[in-house]
Amino acid sequence: MKVERGGVGGGQEGWEYYAAGSGESGKSTIFKQASEHFNASVQTDYCFHMTLKSYCSRFVMQIKLLFQMGFDEAELKSYTSVIHANVFQTIKLLIDGSKELAQNETQSSKYTLSADNKEIGDMMSEIGSRSDYPRLTKELAQEIEKLWKDPAIQVSLLSVNMCYMQETYSHGSKLQLPDCTHYFMEHLRRLSDVNYVPSKEDVLYARVRTTGVVEIQFSPVGENKKSGEVYRLFDVGGQRNERRKWIHLFEGVTAVIFCAAISEYDQMLYEGENKNRMMETKELFEWVLKQPCFERASIMLFLNKFDIFEQKIHKVPLDTCEWFKDYQQVTSGKQETEHAYEFVKKKFEELYYQCTAPDRVDRVFKIYRTTALDQKLVKKTFKLLDETLRRRNLVEAGLL
């Protein structure tokens, strides 16, 4: 994410940020929250509509919900087709995944759809393959619900963390299931209502990969306050084939916000099934740190998706990832979650100092634990970030 220092329509001061992160890191999710508590200028509104047309992900939406005017009903309705597409895409992934597991696993029968649902599965797999998805009707939702409850994709209650998990769903690291899977599957009846209007939470869960560059402007001041400062944030595509589009945004940034999805230590890239997502994140962070145009920029590292991480860490060993091979479990429960998180945090800290020139190690470097769906946490994080950068400006001006 890039937040730009510069006037909007006449000399208003602001800051410039650039947000980086690999695909699915959640950087766009945090943007999504930005418009609920703070007013935006007319020009901001223009940029904000560009954002909606791009259907950027949760980071952008957090910014919109928190620092602008939120979503009106028309804007909420514009996400209906995206959410319905997510449902069809997800059920196809689950169907195809169960077929693949049935072919490759020793206990193949438990991954095979029941005879009653096989025809439904074939139909939904075909719909999920289309480029143009139909509206989610009550009838289609009922069919999808049957598949969701099929023994091959069966919900089983986990006593430890009281969340639902399916046989196929538990192999999400192999099947590339999106984070919205469980949420949308559990709300099928509401999503298919003829008068359905997406809620803010629905919009936050809605998933479309960021392509190209999406801009949003906002003022990060508190409620009922006015400020001449304007933040310009540019959300960029995180997938490998999108990164070549970033280069023209690099010069003169105040700070780089790098999002790392710490829950994805056991998952593979969409672009290459043999490449671990965390290893890709490590390489991308290293690359960003070494860019000459970022020598003077503050580095803000968001260790994102902590909510998923704290559930997963008790089921999937952290040393599944090559980068974390030296991790040693020392306890259990909440203490183990914190121990694992601190280990990951230390790895990123070590990488930062390895890749930063000696004369630049004293630049601002902060690490924040984030959950992109948690609006209060995102708001608090941005306030801390704002305070950090203001302090840096005072130091550079010789006032501190």
Side-chain angles (χ1 to χ4, degrees):
M1 173 172 59
K2 172 183 174 185
V3 183
E4 193 166 76
R5 185 181 183 88
V8 175
Q12 292 174 305
E13 297 251 333
W15 279 316
E16 192 170 281
Y17 297 96
Y18 172 80
S22 59
E24 305 303 312
S25 64
K27 59 186 168 57
S28 300
T29 303
I30 298 174
F31 269 8
K32 273 188 183 176
Q33 299 258 28
S35 204
E36 190 121 296
H37 302 286
F38 303 95
N39 291 325
S41 67
V42 173
Q43 185 165 355
T44 298
D45 195 46
Y46 168 76
C47 295
F48 146 66
H49 281 297
M50 288 174 59
T51 300
L52 281 181
K53 290 178 183 177
S54 301
Y55 289 112
C56 57
S57 48
R58 296 175 195 155
F59 203 172
V60 172
M61 291 307 182
Q62 290 279 23
I63 298 297
K64 178 172 169 52
L65 287 171
L66 284 171
F67 300 114
Q68 289 184 321
M69 298 299 291
F71 296 98
D72 61 30
E73 185 171 338
E75 292 161 346
L76 290 171
K77 284 182 177 179
S78 72
Y79 277 88
T80 301
S81 60
V82 174
I83 291 167
H84 287 177
N86 286 169
V87 171
F88 291 118
Q89 292 161 353
T90 299
I91 198 63
K92 173 178 165 53
L93 283 172
L94 289 166
I95 294 165
D96 293 350
S98 66
K99 290 179 181 178
E100 183 178 344
L101 291 169
Q103 292 175 354
N104 298 328
E105 300 290 332
T106 53
Q107 294 180 303
S108 61
S109 60
K110 68 178 183 180
Y111 299 112
T112 304
L113 290 173
S114 64
D116 292 341
N117 288 333
K118 187 179 183 304
E119 186 175 344
I120 299 173
D122 291 341
M123 178 182 69
M124 290 302 164
S125 188
E126 187 277 323
I127 291 176
S129 301
R130 299 177 190 175
S131 57
D132 188 20
Y133 301 99
R135 183 179 178 87
L136 181 66
T137 62
K138 285 288 186 185
E139 293 73 23
L140 288 172
Q142 288 171 1
E143 303 286 47
I144 293 171
E145 192 171 15
K146 290 177 185 177
L147 293 173
W148 176 245
K149 294 180 178 179
D150 187 281
I153 310 171
Q154 181 84 32
V155 176
S156 62
L157 190 62
L158 298 180
S159 59
V160 176
N161 55 18
M162 299 297 287
C163 73
Y164 288 97
M165 191 74 90
Q166 291 73 23
E167 286 290 350
T168 304
Y169 186 51
S170 67
H171 289 76
S173 59
K174 299 178 183 178
L175 303 179
Q176 305 287 7
L177 292 177
D179 298 340
C180 63
T181 297
H182 186 270
Y183 178 82
F184 285 153
M185 290 297 127
E186 291 299 311
H187 291 87
L188 287 169
R189 296 185 184 183
R190 179 175 61 83
L191 300 181
S192 62
D193 188 271
V194 67
N195 297 315
Y196 169 64
V197 176
S199 66
K200 293 171 187 173
E201 189 172 13
D202 294 343
V203 170
L204 286 176
Y205 273 101
R207 176 187 168 274
V208 171
R209 295 188 195 182
T210 307
T211 58
V213 179
V214 177
E215 179 182 2
I216 187 171
Q217 299 183 23
F218 67 96
S219 179
V221 297
E223 292 90 335
N224 303 317
K225 294 181 182 179
K226 294 182 179 180
S227 171
E229 291 176 343
V230 173
Y231 279 54
R232 298 181 65 204
L233 297 91
F234 296 85
D235 186 26
V236 296
Q239 281 71 27
R240 284 180 169 183
N241 63 352
E242 288 292 321
R243 294 173 195 164
R244 60 184 172 81
K245 303 173 185 177
W246 296 359
I247 192 66
H248 68 287
L249 296 175
F250 283 179
E251 297 300 331
V253 294
T254 304
V256 175
I257 298 178
F258 189 98
C259 286
I262 59 174
S263 63
E264 297 183 347
Y265 59 88
D266 66 323
Q267 294 177 255
M268 299 299 168
L269 291 177
Y270 280 98
E271 303 97 316
E273 294 185 1
N274 295 322
K275 181 72 172 184
N276 178 276
R277 289 190 189 180
M278 183 59 72
M279 295 303 295
E280 177 77 359
T281 297
K282 173 181 179 289
E283 293 173 12
L284 178 57
F285 188 52
E286 184 175 358
W287 176 81
V288 167
L289 292 173
K290 291 180 177 179
Q291 295 306 301
C293 53
F294 293 149
E295 282 185 351
R296 305 189 68 85
S298 299
I299 304 295
M300 308 296 179
L301 174 61
F302 284 15
L303 297 183
N304 197 31
K305 300 190 178 182
F306 178 77
D307 54 332
I308 302 174
F309 177 81
E310 66 179 340
Q311 292 183 13
K312 181 181 285 188
I313 196 64
H314 303 294
K315 298 186 289 289
V316 182
L318 190 60
D319 60 10
T320 300
C321 174
E322 181 66 29
W323 192 21
F324 304 146
K325 282 295 184 185
D326 54 337
Y327 177 73
Q328 294 182 341
Q329 183 174 342
V330 297
T331 182
S332 60
K334 188 174 181 180
Q335 286 183 318
E336 180 59 26
T337 301
E338 290 300 318
H339 176 66
Y341 171 79
E342 289 298 326
F343 177 87
V344 174
K345 179 181 175 183
K346 185 177 179 182
K347 283 288 188 179
F348 276 98
E349 287 175 336
E350 290 174 348
L351 185 60
Y352 170 80
Y353 288 109
Q354 289 170 9
C355 299
T356 301
D359 61 338
R360 296 296 178 193
V361 293
D362 58 345
R363 68 180 172 182
V364 176
F365 173 54
K366 297 286 185 179
I367 299 178
Y368 302 91
R369 178 191 304 192
T370 57
T371 297
L373 287 167
D374 187 334
Q375 193 175 81
K376 289 183 179 179
L377 180 59
V378 171
K379 184 177 181 182
K380 179 181 178 182
T381 301
F382 265 90
K383 284 189 174 181
L384 290 172
L385 185 152
D386 185 55
E387 291 169 5
T388 298
L389 293 179
R390 289 176 188 278
R391 183 176 178 81
R392 192 195 82 164
N393 280 1
L394 291 173
V395 170
E396 290 180 349
L399 301 176
L400 279 180

